[in-house]
Amino acid sequence: MTSDETRDGVSLTNLDQPLFDGSNATKRDLVNYLDAVHDRIIPALRGRPLSVIRVRPGQPPFVQKNVPKYTPSWVKTVPVWAEASHREISYALCDDRKTLLWFGNQRAVEYHPALFRDTHFTHLILDLDPPEGESFPLVIQAARLVRQALDDSGLTGAVKTSGAKGVHIFIPVADGIPIEDLAAATRALAARAERVDPTLATTAFIREDRAGKVFLDSTRAGGATVAAAYSPRIRPGTPVSFPVSWEDLDQVVPGDFTIHTAPDLLGNGDPWAERMPEPQQLPPDLIEEGHTIPVARVQAMHEGKRRARARREG
């Protein structure tokens, strides 16, 4: 078997190299997986500025936002102003199989699209992270709290494994919702889920304040990203972020879904698209409540400074 080949006009090289330490996969396995699911993952990426995490042999993984100078001319790009670095970044748009294969050949393992398309924010997202240790069952319990908060708010969402240790819950929203209102609604939804069982879940942004609880991360609105559905992750065994029905959550663990197992589990289906509700308007009371909740990162920054000052003075 030769190590090099061409697909869809893309030259694929060094395919039999190990993907990364602990991956239990080669670069060929990555490319074959991406090709097998291209018609499922591309709809989750299309039209969205894309960040990827690449891993080169013998080097630590790194995030790539700005496309490199050697990017082929047929890869679509879009300029986005980065307020943090005060510069314009040229992001790729992964809109077709050819571009996806090119990224695979670049050893782009993880795919993190922006949460907006054509300047419209498309989803409200909660990212559920477990406490230290193997505690995925706790994440599932916390996801049930979020689902109850959604039901109580008249909303519905879809759930997937993150491909790491947690789950992502996506609630599609109608076009035109201001980002400030979307972020506020995200904070309020997390707070409502926390109130259902504060012994299990927390919205505390500072890690030391979580006390062994599942963190309901409400900070994804705006410029943040999350791994796309079907994206591989740079984790032992190369798991993928995989859609799960609410009814089946208790019966899965993240390791069930890898670049080796996911294509057969999918068959010809696209459960992420099939289970995603229609875009929804956000309830005014949810937005109003959220505007009374401080922004987590800002609050954590001020609290960190207060604690540091207290330690110095103590």
Side-chain angles (χ1 to χ4, degrees), residues 39 77 138 161 199 201 225 240 268 270 277 279:
D39 55 345
T77 59
L138 290 180
T161 66
T199 67
T225 64
V240 305
N268 295 321
D270 183 356

Side-chain angles (χ1 to χ4, degrees), residues 125-308:
I125 296 174
L126 287 182
D127 180 5
L128 278 57
D129 288 332
E132 293 299 321
E134 295 298 324
S135 46
F136 192 69
L138 290 180
V139 175
I140 300 309
Q141 295 178 44
R144 305 284 186 204
L145 305 184
V146 175
R147 193 182 191 191
Q148 181 173 334
L150 286 171
D151 289 343
D152 294 344
S153 303
L155 297 169
T156 56
V159 60
K160 64 183 180 72
T161 66
S162 68
K165 296 181 179 180
V167 301
H168 298 149
I169 298 173
F170 276 54
I171 300 93
V173 298
D175 284 351
I177 297 175
I179 183 56
E180 296 82 4
D181 288 348
L182 181 62
T186 309
R187 295 193 297 272
L189 182 64
R192 291 182 181 186
E194 179 184 27
R195 289 198 295 269
V196 176
D197 187 354
T199 67
L200 170 63
T202 180
T203 56
F205 190 78
I206 299 176
R207 189 177 296 274
E208 64 192 53
D209 293 345
R210 296 176 192 169
K213 302 174 185 178
V214 176
F215 176 44
L216 308 179
D217 186 354
S218 62
T219 65
R220 298 296 179 173
T225 64
V226 296
Y230 310 115
S231 172
R233 304 300 303 270
I234 303 175
R235 300 273 178 168
T238 321
V240 305
S241 181
F242 200 85
V244 182
S245 71
W246 287 103
E247 293 70 29
D248 291 341
L249 271 177
D250 293 324
Q251 303 171 35
V252 304
V253 294
D256 291 341
F257 313 110
T258 72
I259 62 172
H260 300 294
T261 64
D264 287 340
L265 292 170
L266 286 171
N268 295 321
D270 183 356
W272 190 236
E274 293 158 7
R275 295 175 184 146
M276 188 64 64
E278 291 297 316
Q280 301 151 85
Q281 292 290 345
L282 295 175
D285 65 303
L286 189 71
I287 296 172
E288 183 178 355
E289 178 183 342
H291 280 299
T292 69
I293 301 173
V295 176
R297 293 182 189 277
V298 176
Q299 184 183 36
M301 179 184 66
H302 290 311
E303 178 62 15
K305 291 180 179 178
R306 187 195 67 77
R307 293 182 188 186

